Protein backbone atom coordinates (compact mmCIF):
# COMPACT_ATOMS: atom_id res chain seq x y z
CA UNK A 1 0.00 0.00 0.00
CA UNK A 2 1.38 3.42 -0.94
CA UNK A 3 2.03 5.97 1.75
CA UNK A 4 -0.49 8.79 1.61
CA UNK A 5 0.14 12.40 2.59
CA UNK A 6 -2.38 13.60 5.16
CA UNK A 7 -3.95 17.00 4.62
CA UNK A 8 -6.04 16.88 7.78
CA UNK A 9 -5.24 20.41 9.10
CA UNK A 10 -5.82 22.09 5.75
CA UNK A 11 -9.00 20.22 4.97
CA UNK A 12 -10.25 20.68 8.52
CA UNK A 13 -9.91 24.45 8.08
CA UNK A 14 -11.84 24.32 4.81
CA UNK A 15 -14.56 22.16 6.34
CA UNK A 16 -14.98 24.50 9.31
CA UNK A 17 -15.15 27.57 7.08
CA UNK A 18 -17.72 25.94 4.75
CA UNK A 19 -19.84 24.11 7.34
CA UNK A 20 -22.34 26.95 7.69
CA UNK A 21 -22.75 27.24 3.92
CA UNK A 22 -23.29 23.62 2.97
CA UNK A 23 -24.94 23.13 -0.39
CA UNK A 24 -26.27 19.98 -1.96
CA UNK A 25 -24.69 17.99 -4.76
CA UNK A 26 -27.01 18.20 -7.81
CA UNK A 27 -29.32 15.21 -8.15
CA UNK A 28 -28.03 14.16 -11.61
CA UNK A 29 -24.50 13.99 -10.17
CA UNK A 30 -25.59 11.95 -7.13
CA UNK A 31 -27.40 9.54 -9.43
CA UNK A 32 -24.05 8.33 -10.80
CA UNK A 33 -23.04 7.22 -7.30
CA UNK A 34 -26.30 5.42 -6.68
CA UNK A 35 -26.13 3.76 -10.08
CA UNK A 36 -22.78 2.24 -9.08
CA UNK A 37 -24.18 1.24 -5.68
CA UNK A 38 -27.09 -0.51 -7.40
CA UNK A 39 -24.64 -2.39 -9.61
CA UNK A 40 -22.69 -3.48 -6.54
CA UNK A 41 -25.82 -4.77 -4.82
CA UNK A 42 -26.73 -6.69 -7.95
CA UNK A 43 -23.33 -8.40 -7.93
CA UNK A 44 -21.90 -6.36 -10.81
CA UNK A 45 -18.60 -4.99 -9.47
CA UNK A 46 -15.98 -5.78 -12.11
CA UNK A 47 -17.56 -3.99 -15.04
CA UNK A 48 -18.24 -0.63 -16.61
CA UNK A 49 -21.65 -0.54 -14.88
CA UNK A 50 -19.80 -0.05 -11.59
CA UNK A 51 -16.56 1.75 -12.50
CA UNK A 52 -17.74 4.27 -15.07
CA UNK A 53 -20.51 5.87 -12.96
CA UNK A 54 -18.06 6.30 -10.06
CA UNK A 55 -15.45 7.91 -12.31
CA UNK A 56 -18.07 10.30 -13.71
CA UNK A 57 -19.23 11.08 -10.19
CA UNK A 58 -15.72 11.85 -8.93
CA UNK A 59 -15.01 13.95 -12.03
CA UNK A 60 -18.10 16.07 -11.43
CA UNK A 61 -17.25 16.40 -7.74
CA UNK A 62 -14.01 18.15 -8.71
CA UNK A 63 -16.09 20.97 -10.14
CA UNK A 64 -18.12 21.33 -6.95
CA UNK A 65 -16.96 24.15 -4.70
CA UNK A 66 -18.34 22.93 -1.35
CA UNK A 67 -15.50 21.04 0.44
CA UNK A 68 -17.87 19.67 3.10
CA UNK A 69 -20.04 17.82 0.61
CA UNK A 70 -17.14 16.90 -1.66
CA UNK A 71 -15.21 15.30 1.21
CA UNK A 72 -18.27 13.38 2.38
CA UNK A 73 -19.02 11.91 -1.02
CA UNK A 74 -15.39 11.08 -1.76
CA UNK A 75 -15.42 9.13 1.48
CA UNK A 76 -18.56 7.30 0.44
CA UNK A 77 -16.98 6.40 -2.90
CA UNK A 78 -13.93 4.98 -1.11
CA UNK A 79 -16.24 3.00 1.18
CA UNK A 80 -18.22 1.63 -1.76
CA UNK A 81 -15.06 0.65 -3.63
CA UNK A 82 -13.81 -1.11 -0.52
CA UNK A 83 -17.08 -3.02 -0.28
CA UNK A 84 -16.82 -4.00 -3.94
CA UNK A 85 -13.29 -5.34 -3.49
CA UNK A 86 -14.47 -7.41 -0.52
CA UNK A 87 -17.13 -8.87 -2.80
CA UNK A 88 -14.44 -9.68 -5.38
CA UNK A 89 -12.17 -11.26 -2.77
CA UNK A 90 -9.45 -8.63 -3.22
CA UNK A 91 -8.87 -7.78 0.42
CA UNK A 92 -5.67 -5.78 -0.06
CA UNK A 93 -7.38 -3.23 -2.30
CA UNK A 94 -10.49 -3.37 -0.12
CA UNK A 95 -8.51 -2.41 2.95
CA UNK A 96 -6.72 0.36 1.05
CA UNK A 97 -10.01 1.99 0.09
CA UNK A 98 -11.56 1.46 3.52
CA UNK A 99 -8.52 3.02 5.20
CA UNK A 100 -8.93 5.95 2.83
CA UNK A 101 -12.59 6.28 3.87
CA UNK A 102 -11.55 6.27 7.54
CA UNK A 103 -8.97 9.02 6.91
CA UNK A 104 -11.54 11.17 5.09
CA UNK A 105 -14.00 10.56 7.94
CA UNK A 106 -11.41 11.73 10.47
CA UNK A 107 -10.80 14.85 8.37
CA UNK A 108 -14.55 15.52 8.43
CA UNK A 109 -14.71 15.08 12.20
CA UNK A 110 -11.77 17.44 12.63
CA UNK A 111 -13.66 19.90 10.42
CA UNK A 112 -16.74 19.71 12.67
CA UNK A 113 -18.90 17.63 10.33
CA UNK A 114 -19.14 15.26 13.29
CA UNK A 115 -22.33 13.34 12.55
CA UNK A 116 -21.57 12.32 9.00
CA UNK A 117 -17.84 11.90 9.60
CA UNK A 118 -18.38 9.62 12.58
CA UNK A 119 -21.00 7.60 10.74
CA UNK A 120 -18.70 7.16 7.73
CA UNK A 121 -15.89 6.07 10.05
CA UNK A 122 -18.15 3.52 11.76
CA UNK A 123 -19.31 2.17 8.41
CA UNK A 124 -15.76 1.78 7.07
CA UNK A 125 -14.48 0.28 10.32
CA UNK A 126 -17.33 -2.21 10.22
CA UNK A 127 -16.24 -3.38 6.77
CA UNK A 128 -12.64 -3.68 7.92
CA UNK A 129 -13.86 -6.14 10.55
CA UNK A 130 -14.98 -8.43 7.74
CA UNK A 131 -11.50 -8.50 6.23
CA UNK A 132 -9.38 -9.02 9.31
CA UNK A 133 -11.11 -12.08 10.72
CA UNK A 134 -12.61 -13.25 14.00
CA UNK A 135 -9.89 -12.30 16.53
CA UNK A 136 -9.77 -8.72 15.22
CA UNK A 137 -13.58 -8.62 15.07
CA UNK A 138 -13.87 -9.67 18.72
CA UNK A 139 -11.41 -7.03 19.91
CA UNK A 140 -12.59 -4.14 17.71
CA UNK A 141 -16.33 -4.61 17.09
CA UNK A 142 -17.10 -2.54 20.16
CA UNK A 143 -15.42 0.45 18.50
CA UNK A 144 -17.92 0.36 15.62
CA UNK A 145 -20.84 0.23 18.04
CA UNK A 146 -19.43 3.11 20.09
CA UNK A 147 -19.01 5.25 16.98
CA UNK A 148 -22.59 4.51 15.90
CA UNK A 149 -23.85 5.43 19.37
CA UNK A 150 -21.98 8.74 19.19
CA UNK A 151 -23.83 9.49 15.96
CA UNK A 152 -27.17 8.63 17.57
CA UNK A 153 -26.44 11.02 20.44
CA UNK A 154 -26.18 13.75 17.83
CA UNK A 155 -29.12 12.55 15.72
CA UNK A 156 -31.28 9.69 17.07
CA UNK A 157 -32.85 9.26 13.62
CA UNK A 158 -29.63 8.71 11.66
CA UNK A 159 -30.50 5.68 9.54
CA UNK A 160 -26.98 4.44 8.92
CA UNK A 161 -26.11 4.56 12.62
CA UNK A 162 -29.36 2.79 13.56
CA UNK A 163 -28.59 0.15 10.95
CA UNK A 164 -25.06 -0.36 12.29
CA UNK A 165 -26.39 -0.80 15.84
CA UNK A 166 -29.03 -3.23 14.59
CA UNK A 167 -26.44 -5.27 12.69
CA UNK A 168 -24.34 -5.48 15.85
CA UNK A 169 -27.33 -6.79 17.80
CA UNK A 170 -28.17 -9.31 15.07
CA UNK A 171 -24.68 -10.66 14.39
CA UNK A 172 -22.78 -10.46 17.68
CA UNK A 173 -22.78 -13.42 20.10
CA UNK A 174 -24.93 -12.88 23.18
CA UNK A 175 -21.85 -12.54 25.39
CA UNK A 176 -20.76 -9.54 23.29
CA UNK A 177 -24.13 -7.81 23.32
CA UNK A 178 -25.91 -9.74 20.59
CA UNK A 179 -29.70 -9.70 20.74
CA UNK A 180 -31.56 -10.47 17.48
CA UNK A 181 -34.89 -9.33 18.92
CA UNK A 182 -33.49 -5.87 19.68
CA UNK A 183 -32.04 -5.78 16.17
CA UNK A 184 -35.43 -6.67 14.71
CA UNK A 185 -37.09 -3.88 16.70
CA UNK A 186 -34.65 -1.28 15.34
CA UNK A 187 -34.89 -2.53 11.76
CA UNK A 188 -38.67 -2.64 11.77
CA UNK A 189 -38.73 0.89 13.17
CA UNK A 190 -36.63 2.06 10.22
CA UNK A 191 -38.81 0.32 7.66
CA UNK A 192 -42.07 1.51 9.22
CA UNK A 193 -41.29 5.19 8.74
CA UNK A 194 -44.20 6.92 6.98
CA UNK A 195 -41.71 8.96 4.95
CA UNK A 196 -39.39 6.04 4.23
CA UNK A 197 -38.84 6.80 0.55
CA UNK A 198 -37.69 10.32 1.44
CA UNK A 199 -35.55 9.44 4.48
CA UNK A 200 -34.21 5.92 3.82
CA UNK A 201 -32.33 5.17 0.61
CA UNK A 202 -33.28 2.17 -1.48
CA UNK A 203 -29.90 0.65 -0.65
CA UNK A 204 -30.41 1.02 3.11
CA UNK A 205 -33.88 -0.45 2.80
CA UNK A 206 -32.24 -3.48 1.21
CA UNK A 207 -29.72 -3.81 4.07
CA UNK A 208 -32.58 -3.61 6.57
CA UNK A 209 -34.46 -6.42 4.81
CA UNK A 210 -31.35 -8.57 4.63
CA UNK A 211 -30.62 -8.04 8.33
CA UNK A 212 -34.23 -8.79 9.24
CA UNK A 213 -33.92 -12.06 7.38
CA UNK A 214 -30.78 -12.97 9.29
CA UNK A 215 -32.29 -11.99 12.64
CA UNK A 216 -35.43 -14.03 12.06
CA UNK A 217 -33.40 -17.01 10.87
CA UNK A 218 -31.37 -16.88 14.08
CA UNK A 219 -34.62 -16.75 16.08
CA UNK A 220 -35.90 -19.86 14.25
CA UNK A 221 -38.61 -18.02 12.30
CA UNK A 222 -37.62 -19.32 8.89
CA UNK A 223 -40.85 -18.31 7.16
CA UNK A 224 -40.34 -14.70 8.22
CA UNK A 225 -36.68 -14.89 7.22
CA UNK A 226 -37.61 -16.26 3.79
CA UNK A 227 -40.06 -13.41 3.22
CA UNK A 228 -37.46 -10.78 4.06
CA UNK A 229 -34.81 -12.39 1.85
CA UNK A 230 -37.29 -12.59 -1.02
CA UNK A 231 -38.22 -8.93 -0.57
CA UNK A 232 -34.52 -8.03 -0.58
CA UNK A 233 -34.03 -10.02 -3.78
CA UNK A 234 -37.03 -8.32 -5.35
CA UNK A 235 -35.02 -5.10 -5.02
CA UNK A 236 -31.66 -6.59 -6.13
CA UNK A 237 -32.16 -10.00 -7.81
CA UNK A 238 -28.43 -10.54 -8.36
CA UNK A 239 -27.34 -10.05 -4.77
CA UNK A 240 -25.16 -13.03 -3.90
CA UNK A 241 -25.45 -12.61 -0.12
CA UNK A 242 -29.25 -12.65 -0.15
CA UNK A 243 -29.28 -15.61 -2.55
CA UNK A 244 -26.87 -17.55 -0.32
CA UNK A 245 -28.80 -16.81 2.87
CA UNK A 246 -32.09 -17.79 1.24
CA UNK A 247 -30.50 -21.04 0.08
CA UNK A 248 -29.43 -21.87 3.63
CA UNK A 249 -32.99 -21.92 4.99
Amino acid sequence: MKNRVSYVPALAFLLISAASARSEIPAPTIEHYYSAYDSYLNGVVDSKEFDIPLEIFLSELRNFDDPVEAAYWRGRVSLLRGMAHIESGNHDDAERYLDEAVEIAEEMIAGLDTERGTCLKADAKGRILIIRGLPYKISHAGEVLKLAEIVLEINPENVRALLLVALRRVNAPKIFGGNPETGIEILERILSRPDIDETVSRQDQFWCLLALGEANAKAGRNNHARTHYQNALFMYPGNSEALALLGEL
Side-chain angles (χ1 to χ4, degrees), residues 50-65:
F50 180 80
D51 291 324
I52 291 178
L54 284 184
E55 290 302 324
I56 294 172
F57 180 61
L58 289 172
S59 176
E60 293 185 6
L61 271 186
R62 295 186 190 101
N63 299 321
F64 194 69
D65 59 4

Side-chain angles (χ1 to χ4, degrees), residues 7-22 65-74 103-114 116-117:
Y7 296 98
V8 173
L11 181 54
F13 174 79
L14 290 172
L15 291 174
I16 292 170
S17 63
S20 62
R22 179 184 298 167
D65 59 4
D66 185 333
V68 176
E69 289 297 300
Y72 173 64
W73 286 101
R74 285 201 326 273
E103 181 173 337
I104 292 171
E106 289 173 345
E107 292 168 350
M108 293 175 67
I109 294 166
L112 303 185
D113 194 353
T114 309
R116 295 192 303 174

Side-chain angles (χ1 to χ4, degrees), residues 112-151:
L112 303 185
D113 194 353
T114 309
E115 179 184 343
R116 295 192 303 174
T118 305
C119 199
L120 175 62
K121 184 175 180 178
D123 224 339
K125 289 275 190 178
R127 303 290 172 174
I128 291 171
L129 293 179
I130 297 172
I131 298 172
R132 295 190 180 175
L134 185 59
Y136 184 88
K137 185 180 295 185
I138 291 172
S139 60
H140 288 80
E143 179 185 2
V144 176
L145 179 60
K146 183 176 180 180
L147 289 167
E149 289 173 341
I150 290 171
V151 175

